[in-house]
Amino acid sequence: MALTASLLSLIKEEMEKAKAEHLLSVRIRYGSLSNVVPEAMEAAFEIQTMNMPGLQGASLELVEELPLLACGKCGTQFSSENKSRVFKPCPACGNELGNKVLSGKGLYLDRIEVDDEIG
Ligand SMILES: [Zn+2]
């Protein structure tokens, strides 16, 4: 999975900056509208870190974020309450069409926890 590979290089970069040698855990946030499949991501992470000293055994936490929308009429920002109803009417003016999706498609590294003992 290419996604996991790019996350891993980001993690390694962060670890280098922190001069950390052991990764303990990683938290990743992903939007409901991204095509992340948590189970697949967890499996890919485990497989890809298996042979990486310092990264093997680290735990991966995936946090799903609901999409943030902006009303196409009045500009009010609101989040969708559940992922199966992404397109809900604006709470301020009731507008249903043309609402913009501001976030919910992304994937980013939220936090890494490392063991910073050198050696
Ligand atoms: Zn509105």
Side-chain angles (χ1 to χ4, degrees):
M1 219 178 152
L3 205 57
T4 316
S6 55
L7 269 170
L8 285 174
S9 59
L10 199 63
I11 290 167
K12 279 190 268 181
E13 235 172 72
E14 290 296 317
M15 286 175 70
E16 262 166 45
K17 265 190 249 168
K19 298 200 192 323
E21 300 215 327
H22 293 102
L23 181 67
L24 300 175
S25 68
V26 183
R27 188 162 67 195
I28 286 160
R29 292 184 177 271
Y30 68 98
S32 302
L33 304 178
S34 65
N35 46 16
V36 170
V37 181
E39 294 76 19
M41 185 113 187
E42 274 165 24
F45 181 84
E46 206 182 310
I47 291 164
Q48 294 188 28
T49 53
M50 214 175 265
N51 297 312
M52 293 182 178
L55 273 76
Q56 57 195 157
S59 67
L60 176 68
E61 189 190 349
L62 288 156
V63 183
E64 183 174 355
E65 286 195 327
L66 293 173
L68 182 68
L69 308 177
C71 174
K73 243 182 198 168
C74 72
T76 299
Q77 292 186 6
F78 54 100
S79 70
S80 125
E81 281 146 20
N82 80 61
K83 53 186 168 173
S84 58
R85 262 197 88 199
V86 168
F87 299 101
K88 66 166 200 169
C90 169
C93 73
N95 181 47
E96 274 185 64
L97 295 172
N99 295 338
K100 269 190 293 185
V101 179
L102 298 180
S103 73
K105 291 176 184 167
L107 173 85
Y108 60 94
L109 194 59
D110 186 35
R111 193 184 61 125
I112 66 171
E113 204 186 331
V114 292
D115 180 357
D116 54 13
E117 255 177 69
I118 306 274

